[in-house]
Amino acid sequence: MPSDIKRVQYAQLARSLRGRPLAELISRATTEPDLATFGDLLHLTAVQELSNTEDAGALSLLNLFSYGTWQDYSGQASGLRLTAAQERKLRALTVLSLAASRRRLAYAELLPALGLQDVRDLEDILVTNCIGAGLVRGRLDQAEQCLLVEESVARDASPAQLSAIAASLGAWLDSARGVAAAVEAAVQSAVEGAAAEAAQQAQLAADIQAKREGAAAVREAEAEGQANNGLSGLFADESEMFSLESMGEGSTPGNAARLPKRRR
């Protein structure tokens, strides 16, 4: 049965229980091999009311399995005692807490964290209660004496952790807003740059067109001037020819100039 279904079912059962039956339900839930989160149980009003009863130990147990580690258990002075199954489960949960921040867990780190001294006992917990229960996906590297974690189930976040998570998310949000503002400014700058370049290209095209039109006007004026000069020369030649013809017509034999006679 998937762990999330178990979690919901335990929470539904707990709503209808009080006192010792509720405490026994909590004890049973903390031994479920594949159950890693207990927040749904912990936050129920009936469970919180156990704090003022003779079954307050069940509430302490649930708090330990929700947020605590083996070192929290071994260092506590409340007199809480776990069964063998609960001890194995708490050690597995401690591995989850360590795996949340790194993917290579050395045996030298795991042994004191789980309160163990024998490597075989450690590997038994890792293989049976972590990997076998589906809480961790990874493998043991016996040559390097470490657990290589590929993926692990997340545990409940404590109130202190929630504050840290909220602060981290707030910092991320501020950073994201800064990046968004920088991107928007870059886009605006690019748009303005493109508009300025387009205006420059349009002005350049207009200047080139104006120069072309000016050059065409100059060529047209030169051609017109050359044509006018040709007509003026033609008129001058015709006028000169007309004058010569007039002189020719006025010089007749009778009117020819008389040459002086030579003296002998």
Side-chain angles (χ1 to χ4, degrees):
M1 184 183 298
S3 60
D4 55 345
I5 296 178
K6 286 184 180 180
R7 176 172 48 81
V8 172
Q9 288 185 341
Y10 272 111
Q12 289 176 342
L13 287 172
R15 289 188 177 92
S16 61
L17 299 176
R18 294 292 185 277
R20 181 52 59 96
L22 180 57
E24 292 176 353
L25 179 70
I26 291 172
S27 179
R28 188 164 70 249
T30 56
T31 61
E32 286 288 349
D34 59 347
L35 195 60
T37 56
F38 304 89
D40 291 344
L41 272 175
L42 181 62
H43 298 301
L44 291 176
T45 302
V47 172
Q48 291 298 316
E49 289 175 349
L50 291 174
S51 61
N52 298 321
T53 69
E54 59 182 6
D55 296 306
L59 180 58
S60 299
L61 176 66
L62 197 54
N63 270 300
L64 176 64
F65 275 70
S66 296
Y67 312 127
T69 64
W70 181 263
Q71 291 180 337
D72 295 325
Y73 168 65
S74 61
Q76 54 90 27
S78 63
L80 184 66
R81 292 294 176 261
L82 303 181
T83 66
Q86 289 171 335
E87 287 183 351
R88 293 179 68 88
K89 180 59 181 291
L90 184 59
R91 286 185 168 109
L93 294 175
T94 302
V95 173
L96 293 184
S97 295
L98 295 173
S101 58
R102 47 195 179 280
R103 288 293 177 255
R104 185 182 186 278
L105 300 176
Y107 286 1
E109 177 185 7
L110 289 171
L111 285 169
L114 304 187
L116 298 173
Q117 301 196 1
D118 189 80
V119 171
R120 290 186 179 181
D121 292 339
L122 172 62
E123 289 181 339
D124 182 45
I125 294 290
L126 296 178
V127 172
T128 304
N129 299 92
C130 294
I131 298 175
L135 300 180
V136 173
R137 186 159 61 89
R139 63 183 179 86
L140 302 184
D141 188 335
Q142 293 179 319
E144 295 294 330
Q145 295 284 284
C146 67
L147 168 65
L148 300 177
V149 180
E150 298 177 9
E151 188 178 7
S152 61
V153 175
R155 297 188 64 186
D156 293 301
S158 67
Q161 289 173 323
L162 289 176
S163 299
I165 291 172
S168 178
L169 289 176
W172 176 86
L173 182 59
D174 292 340
S175 177
R177 286 172 176 168
V179 171
V183 170
E184 185 177 356
V187 170
Q188 183 63 28
S189 178
V191 170
E192 293 175 355
E197 184 176 357
Q200 185 178 5
Q201 292 294 333
Q203 183 61 46
L204 180 60
D207 293 343
I208 292 174
Q209 183 63 27
K211 290 180 180 180
R212 286 176 178 173
E213 292 176 354
V218 170
R219 288 194 298 271
E220 184 178 352
E222 289 177 350
E224 185 176 353
Q226 290 176 357
N228 291 336
N229 290 337
L231 291 174
S232 298
L234 179 61
F235 290 151
D237 292 343
E238 290 181 352
S239 175
E240 183 177 354
M241 290 177 62
F242 180 76
S243 299
L244 291 174
E245 289 176 357
S246 298
M247 289 176 63
E249 291 177 357
S251 300
T252 60
N255 296 329
R258 296 178 179 177
L259 296 175
K261 294 181 178 182
R262 294 181 179 179
R263 292 182 182 180
R264 294 180 179 178

